[in-house]
Amino acid sequence: MKKVVLYGDSIRIGYEEYIRCSMEGIAEVYFPSDNCRYAQYLFRLAHVWKEKNNWPDDIDVVHWNAGLWDVLELFGDGPLSSIEHYRDMIVRIDRRLRLIYPNAKMIFATSTAVVEEEYGPEKCRHNSVIEQYNAVAIDALKGTDTVINDLYAITRDCPRALHSDKTHYYTEGGVALVGGQVLSAISRALEVECKGIDTKGFCTPHYSKDTIGF
């Protein structure tokens, strides 16, 4: 059976079980119980999660993202991670994942769009900044065989009803949109056909500030 690892922030939390259920009988799907948060956090703990959870070495695909925590602005002080630091982390994460999963195909997902007008002045994200960081990440991965899964493109103009809040997509339609895109990217990488499960009544994870962040 194929083997897949998912790394990412709370956007990943919203589709991880959808991917696992959709790929039942096709691939074993692994992901941390932890929110992978900002890029440096993922860089520091990627190998720890693998070792702690006893994930196998023969992983076929790694699908990962980092960025929404990096672009978060608190109290008007700019993004938590400078764009230069973020670029460096993307390069180093890619290198680290290839080290610990030497036979895996790599897929990087861009950060999703937010409903920025619903953020307050003390905690905010801007789609224009997300676009800049996404562009930097894509450029940083040029020259590698990493596949880009553009989740920003499919969420930039999606209806508000697909959002569960200003940041997330924990709705039936949101899971179908974002999870479906992730499932398609992974299926192509594995060279398998996987239609995915019906998201009607799909139970997305319970979440709070402790699990999803801001």
Side-chain angles (χ1 to χ4, degrees):
M1 189 175 294
K2 302 293 186 179
K3 299 178 179 65
V4 175
V5 169
L6 308 176
Y7 283 122
D9 52 33
S10 54
I11 299 302
R12 182 217 79 215
I13 291 174
Y15 62 69
E16 58 192 23
E17 286 296 342
Y18 172 80
I19 300 298
R20 174 179 280 173
C21 293
S22 294
M23 305 208 79
E24 186 174 357
I26 298 172
E28 297 172 352
V29 180
Y30 307 93
F31 44 83
S33 58
D34 197 1
N35 183 330
C36 298
R37 310 182 194 188
Y38 43 86
Q40 189 162 2
Y41 192 78
L42 170 55
F43 174 66
R44 170 63 182 86
L45 292 175
H47 71 286
V48 175
W49 288 315
K50 177 182 183 294
E51 294 166 1
K52 179 180 178 181
N53 294 291
N54 295 311
W55 295 340
D57 294 324
D58 57 337
I59 298 297
D60 296 287
V61 171
V62 176
H63 184 283
W64 65 282
N65 76 284
L68 284 178
W69 281 56
D70 297 272
V71 303
L72 180 66
E73 300 180 35
L74 299 175
F75 309 106
D77 194 37
L80 288 177
S81 300
S82 71
I83 199 163
E84 295 82 10
H85 175 72
Y86 179 68
R87 180 189 180 92
D88 181 55
M89 283 294 103
I90 293 298
V91 171
R92 297 177 73 183
I93 292 168
D94 180 74
R95 190 163 58 225
R96 180 64 51 83
L97 294 177
R98 292 172 186 277
L99 175 67
I100 61 179
Y101 304 109
N103 299 315
K105 295 180 180 179
M106 296 291 160
I107 304 173
F108 173 78
T110 58
S111 294
T112 49
V114 300
V115 187
E116 64 178 272
E117 61 269 21
E118 295 184 14
Y119 281 89
E122 293 185 352
K123 299 174 183 176
C124 63
R125 290 182 174 97
H126 301 287
N127 284 321
S128 61
V129 176
I130 293 173
E131 290 172 5
Q132 293 171 20
Y133 277 58
N134 281 340
V136 161
I138 292 170
D139 186 69
L141 293 169
K142 283 183 178 178
T144 74
D145 59 359
T146 296
V147 173
I148 304 300
N149 186 13
D150 196 353
L151 298 185
Y152 183 84
I154 65 165
T155 57
R156 180 64 183 89
D157 298 311
C158 75
R160 176 64 179 84
L162 298 189
H163 287 263
S164 52
D165 56 31
K166 57 184 174 292
T167 306
H168 302 94
Y169 298 84
Y170 296 178
T171 62
E172 292 177 359
V175 173
L177 178 68
V178 180
Q181 176 82 359
V182 173
L183 183 64
S184 294
I186 293 172
S187 297
R188 286 194 298 271
L190 292 176
E191 299 181 349
V192 299
E193 291 187 14
C194 187
K195 294 183 178 180
I197 62 173
D198 188 351
T199 60
K200 184 174 177 57
F202 186 80
C203 183
T204 53
H206 294 291
Y207 64 92
S208 68
K209 290 180 181 179
D210 293 332
T211 56
I212 67 171
F214 301 112

